[in-house]
Amino acid sequence: MSSTVTLGDLALTLGVSKTLISLVLNNKGTTYGISQATQKKVFKLAKKLNYQPNLVARGLREGKTNTVGLVVSDIANPFYSKMARHIEDFLSAKDYHLVICSTDEEPEREHKIIKLMREKQFDGIIVSTSQRKTGDFKQLMREKYPFVLIDRKIKSIKTNFIGINNFQATYQAVKYLIGEGYSQIAAMAVSPVYVSSIKERIKGYRHAMADSGFDLTQQRLVEIPFDKVKTAVKTEIQKLIQSPHPVNALFAINNNIAVACLEAFRELQIALPKDIAFIAFDDIDAFRLTTPTVTAIDQPLEEICQHAVDILLNEIARPRRAKKEIILSPSLIIRQSVKKL
Amino acid sequence: MSSTVTLGDLALTLGVSKTLISLVLNNKGTTYGISQATQKKVFKLAKKLNYQPNLVARGLREGKTNTVGLVVSDIANPFYSKMARHIEDFLSAKDYHLVICSTDEEPEREHKIIKLMREKQFDGIIVSTSQRKTGDFKQLMREKYPFVLIDRKIKSIKTNFIGINNFQATYQAVKYLIGEGYSQIAAMAVSPVYVSSIKERIKGYRHAMADSGFDLTQQRLVEIPFDKVKTAVKTEIQKLIQSPHPVNALFAINNNIAVACLEAFRELQIALPKDIAFIAFDDIDAFRLTTPTVTAIDQPLEEICQHAVDILLNEIARPRRAKKEIILSPSLIIRQSVKKL
DNA sequence: AAAAAGTACTAAAACGGTTTAGTTTTTTTA
DNA sequence: TAAAAAAACTAAACCGTTTTAGTACTTTTT
């Protein structure tokens, strides 16, 4: 591809061995008894010819790429891009690189990405999985390949996992709505609903409702397909509003749905919190900028990422460690989108 | 690291050569006259042992990694994360991987990242540069290493570049403010102001003002340090409001600044567009959700990315092509944050 | 003066693929 | 029936590093 100078080139022009060059440039010259004079010559030539080591070759030799993969559904989602940024920072402090891939919630795509990362010899991966099948992860465990799940766990196998208590957070949020006097409360979920975080949030909604005496017929759970959030949200909101028992509170199960809801409210001229109370899961910048501001559940992103990176790098350093599961608590940030009835 | 099966292992158990295994698994078996029976055996064993090619080894041999780097100031900024997503999609359609790194606007960090990507033998890189020195790029050109600049160009060397006409877009936006009757118009820039996009936007502001008869003394350009946007924006807005000639219109030079402005407006109880008219450069979701909605300049992100990827992959395929410069036109999306005076 | 120790280096293997240039065996052709 | 062609495969080089196990020479020790 490009005019590249290798160890061999340096060795040749200097009339010494590749070994010597390698030793010197890796600062092992003195320990290996290379004379100062020779070392100087090597450094000088390397600089002059702008020698740049081929890290692919080194990676092959060392069986290490200093690269970690991050698999998420969509890096353009601020929830994930913020995480990515934290992870990148923690990794780069330890001289690791981050590769990010988006799956669009497609299990098959995720499978391919994980395979590719594996084949590219990434030292480990961090995954917010969209798969319900556990095959990939079982395989990785069999191979003792380091990985950490974040945000979404898979029951049935014990893996490293860092996430939050989705059930409790949702339960608390819905209870808050009820406490403020709301009774017609709908939740809007996003497919695939089989991912653990969504499932737990749905469960949190159902239990909070049931515990307050609202049976299944009084619960309204709407499911929005991931690939047509915007249009589906709008029509569903219309339905909820125009139903015989119009909804007066809405819980949005993630930031994606929430943004679509806010847009729909505006288009349909539904005023918050007068016409409808609103709570979102995941806190984003926009929620502090709207009028009214949006009450939301905020995840401790940085902490999640810190743990994920720590555990992953630890496992990379010495495999065969016990799997760790860390469940953190998000906080309900009360703003203005819910008023007392 | 993990239990890995190699070509050699397959060859050994089957009692054939590595060559044969390689040929078969790369679907060149038939062309190279390997019998169907043997091929079947190879595929079967590969599947059984879950053979996964070592892409690092392949990369070394082929001098190709099928990886492209993206260097931006902050992947958590929605402007860049959206771009990243587009680029990822275009690349993955051509079987390329994307590695994203954030520089926090630090030239030294960018320099290191570019060097690392080069050493990791990425096939090419896409950069929104924070550097004012041109050394890195001159070096890359000397090496005929494929790269494309996006968003921010560097004058003084002819490179591939995809971006927008920042001057014209800003000029138009400020003229729009003036046309609506505003005269006390401030612009809020972000450091480092030497990056081309910011510089051009500042120039656009200055020229629009000057062309309408507002001389330098009537122009108000505020510069916010990148690393303390939030606090600085607030104090600067206070100053602008409390000055002897209070500002009645504000132009935010990018989405970062704009979000901080909106937060500050809220905290300071400044009402849009009554107390101040507001326009932002870069359009983000939040601008459609605020009350009033925010008039903003929208860049054709997808198109920029499409061009960038096209040009980069073309150059990777056959180096030594003429450098291309593509300047696209953003559009001013008029919403509610500017009212006619 | 022979053995031991120290100094300054190097040859070659290894990492796991791909590719070039064969080789061997069988079948076809003249 | 010998030469040519086809079929089915392989040895070895190569990519650019790192590392192991040396070598050759000089100096010190006993």
Side-chain angles (χ1 to χ4, degrees):
Chain A
M1 144 212 341
S2 27
S3 55
T4 317
V5 19
T6 70
L7 272 194
D9 298 336
L10 298 188
L12 218 63
T13 27
L14 242 41
V16 298
S17 69
K18 289 195 295 173
T19 309
L20 186 147
I21 306 281
S22 170
L23 256 20
V24 171
L25 293 181
N26 288 302
N27 294 312
K28 298 179 184 166
T30 307
T31 2
Y32 279 78
I34 311 298
S35 73
Q36 290 309 311
T38 310
Q39 292 201 42
K40 206 141 287 173
K41 272 195 294 184
V42 173
F43 281 122
K44 206 171 143 195
L45 186 67
K47 173 149 244 175
K48 183 178 157 212
L49 300 188
N50 188 36
Y51 167 73
Q52 294 185 289
N54 181 327
L55 265 31
V56 170
R58 182 180 292 167
L60 174 59
R61 168 68 218 214
E62 312 223 294
K64 192 142 191 334
T65 53
N66 273 38
T67 302
V68 162
L70 173 66
V71 184
V72 297
S73 62
D74 183 9
I75 186 61
N77 181 326
F79 175 69
Y80 290 118
S81 71
K82 272 192 192 145
M83 278 212 169
R85 186 57 215 276
H86 287 304
I87 293 175
E88 181 190 352
D89 285 348
F90 292 130
L91 283 177
S92 83
K94 308 274 182 174
D95 260 311
Y96 277 81
H97 242 198
L98 180 64
V99 175
I100 307 164
C101 286
S102 307
T103 64
D104 270 333
E105 306 283 2
E106 288 169 27
E108 183 53 27
R109 202 158 154 184
E110 181 179 322
H111 168 73
K112 277 189 189 149
I113 289 170
I114 291 176
K115 186 159 174 284
L116 190 61
M117 289 182 164
R118 181 75 194 69
E119 294 182 344
K120 283 204 168 195
Q121 313 297 119
F122 289 6
D123 297 327
I125 60 178
I126 298 175
V127 186
S128 167
T129 185
S130 302
Q131 298 194 84
R132 64 196 318 179
K133 300 234 183 89
T134 57
D136 279 348
F137 302 106
K138 279 187 181 145
Q139 178 61 27
L140 291 179
M141 304 220 34
R142 230 175 282 131
E143 296 178 1
K144 308 203 194 328
Y145 185 84
F147 72 95
V148 174
L149 298 183
I150 54 170
D151 183 39
R152 302 164 174 193
K153 68 190 289 190
I154 42 180
K155 51 173 208 251
S156 90
I157 37 174
K158 174 110 182 116
T159 69
N160 291 312
F161 173 73
I162 326 290
I164 57 159
N165 194 327
N166 288 288
F167 173 84
Q168 190 203 277
T170 311
Y171 187 94
Q172 182 196 347
V174 174
K175 274 289 191 182
Y176 167 71
L177 282 171
I178 295 168
E180 298 294 288
Y182 292 88
S183 54
Q184 306 295 323
I185 305 172
M188 203 165 265
V190 64
S191 68
V193 291
Y194 59 76
V195 308
S196 73
S197 54
I198 301 296
K199 230 165 42 186
E200 289 169 20
R201 290 173 200 178
I202 291 174
K203 202 168 138 197
Y205 164 75
R206 293 219 181 275
H207 279 241
M209 292 292 278
D211 288 359
S212 296
F214 298 109
D215 65 23
L216 271 174
T217 63
Q218 292 162 295
Q219 296 174 23
R220 321 277 259 286
L221 177 71
V222 182
E223 198 180 319
I224 307 291
F226 173 79
D227 56 342
K228 44 180 82 102
V229 165
K230 187 159 181 203
T231 52
V233 162
K234 191 171 171 186
T235 60
E236 291 299 336
I237 286 180
Q238 276 175 303
K239 278 194 222 160
L240 289 172
I241 294 289
Q242 289 158 4
S243 76
H245 298 285
V247 150
N248 60 4
L250 182 58
F251 176 78
I253 214 150
N254 72 7
N255 74 64
N256 232 335
I257 295 288
V259 167
C261 285
L262 292 171
E263 281 195 76
F265 291 153
R266 159 151 287 146
E267 285 168 24
L268 299 170
Q269 307 202 349
I270 296 169
L272 295 190
K274 186 168 66 68
D275 301 336
I276 199 166
F278 186 65
I279 297 189
F281 211 113
D282 294 343
D283 193 26
I284 59 176
D285 284 346
F287 295 163
R288 295 192 312 274
L289 303 177
T290 50
T291 310
T293 52
V294 175
T295 292
I297 295 168
D298 182 37
Q299 301 196 36
L301 292 190
E302 186 168 356
E303 210 183 334
I304 292 174
C305 296
Q306 175 75 73
H307 282 297
V309 169
D310 276 358
I311 292 177
L312 190 68
L313 294 190
N314 255 315
E315 192 160 320
I316 289 170
R318 29 190 184 300
R320 200 70 230 125
R321 319 194 83 223
K323 300 305 169 206
K324 274 200 191 167
E325 189 168 306
I326 299 181
I327 308 292
L328 303 168
S329 290
S331 41
L332 180 66
I333 300 186
I334 293 179
R335 297 205 183 88
Q336 307 161 340
S337 59
V338 179
K339 69 148 195 268
K340 205 165 182 79
L341 270 194
Chain B
M1 138 211 347
S2 27
S3 55
T4 317
V5 19
T6 69
L7 271 194
D9 298 336
L10 298 190
L12 219 62
T13 28
L14 241 41
V16 298
S17 68
K18 288 198 298 174
T19 310
L20 186 147
I21 305 282
S22 170
L23 255 19
V24 171
L25 292 180
N26 288 301
N27 294 312
K28 297 178 184 167
T30 308
T31 2
Y32 278 78
I34 311 298
S35 71
Q36 291 307 313
T38 310
Q39 292 202 40
K40 206 142 287 172
K41 274 195 292 185
V42 172
F43 280 122
K44 207 172 141 195
L45 186 68
K47 174 149 243 174
K48 183 179 156 211
L49 300 187
N50 188 35
Y51 168 73
Q52 294 185 288
N54 181 326
L55 265 30
V56 171
R58 182 181 290 167
L60 174 58
R61 168 67 217 217
E62 311 222 295
K64 191 143 192 335
T65 52
N66 273 40
T67 302
V68 162
L70 173 65
V71 184
V72 297
S73 62
D74 183 8
I75 187 60
N77 181 325
F79 176 70
Y80 290 119
S81 70
K82 274 195 189 143
M83 278 211 169
R85 186 59 216 274
H86 287 304
I87 292 174
E88 182 190 352
D89 285 349
F90 291 131
L91 283 177
S92 81
K94 308 274 183 175
D95 261 310
Y96 277 81
H97 242 197
L98 180 65
V99 175
I100 306 164
C101 286
S102 307
T103 64
D104 270 332
E105 306 282 3
E106 289 169 28
E108 183 55 26
R109 202 159 154 185
E110 180 179 323
H111 168 72
K112 278 190 189 147
I113 289 170
I114 291 175
K115 185 159 173 285
L116 191 61
M117 289 181 164
R118 181 75 193 70
E119 293 182 344
K120 284 205 167 195
Q121 313 298 120
F122 289 4
D123 298 328
I125 59 179
I126 299 175
V127 187
S128 167
T129 185
S130 302
Q131 298 194 82
R132 64 199 314 180
K133 301 234 181 90
T134 56
D136 279 348
F137 302 106
K138 279 189 180 144
Q139 178 62 27
L140 291 179
M141 305 224 26
R142 230 176 282 129
E143 295 178 0
K144 309 205 196 327
Y145 185 84
F147 72 95
V148 175
L149 298 182
I150 54 170
D151 183 39
R152 302 163 173 195
K153 67 191 289 189
I154 42 179
K155 52 174 206 248
S156 91
I157 37 175
K158 173 111 182 118
T159 69
N160 292 312
F161 173 73
I162 325 290
I164 56 159
N165 194 327
N166 288 288
F167 173 83
Q168 190 204 279
T170 312
Y171 187 94
Q172 182 196 346
V174 174
K175 274 288 190 182
Y176 166 71
L177 282 171
I178 295 168
E180 297 294 287
Y182 292 88
S183 53
Q184 307 295 324
I185 304 173
M188 203 165 266
V190 64
S191 68
V193 292
Y194 57 76
V195 308
S196 71
S197 54
I198 301 297
K199 227 164 45 184
E200 288 169 21
R201 291 172 199 178
I202 291 173
K203 203 167 137 198
Y205 164 75
R206 293 216 181 279
H207 278 242
M209 292 294 277
D211 288 359
S212 297
F214 300 108
D215 64 25
L216 270 174
T217 63
Q218 292 161 293
Q219 296 174 21
R220 320 276 259 288
L221 177 71
V222 182
E223 198 178 319
I224 307 291
F226 173 79
D227 56 342
K228 44 179 83 99
V229 165
K230 183 154 184 204
T231 52
V233 162
K234 190 170 171 186
T235 60
E236 290 299 336
I237 285 180
Q238 277 175 305
K239 279 193 221 160
L240 289 173
I241 294 289
Q242 289 157 5
S243 75
H245 299 284
V247 151
N248 60 4
L250 182 57
F251 176 79
I253 215 150
N254 71 8
N255 73 66
N256 231 337
I257 296 288
V259 167
C261 285
L262 292 172
E263 282 195 75
F265 291 153
R266 159 152 287 146
E267 286 168 23
L268 300 170
Q269 308 202 347
I270 296 169
L272 296 191
K274 188 168 65 69
D275 300 337
I276 198 166
F278 186 64
I279 297 188
F281 211 113
D282 293 343
D283 193 26
I284 59 177
D285 285 347
F287 295 163
R288 294 191 313 273
L289 303 176
T290 50
T291 310
T293 52
V294 175
T295 292
I297 295 167
D298 182 39
Q299 302 197 34
L301 292 189
E302 185 168 358
E303 209 183 336
I304 292 174
C305 296
Q306 174 75 73
H307 282 298
V309 170
D310 276 358
I311 292 176
L312 189 68
L313 294 190
N314 255 315
E315 192 159 319
I316 289 171
R318 27 186 187 302
R320 199 71 229 122
R321 320 194 82 221
K323 300 306 170 207
K324 272 200 191 169
E325 189 169 306
I326 299 181
I327 309 292
L328 303 168
S329 290
S331 40
L332 181 65
I333 299 187
I334 294 179
R335 296 204 183 91
Q336 307 161 339
S337 59
V338 178
K339 69 151 197 262
K340 206 163 179 81
L341 272 193

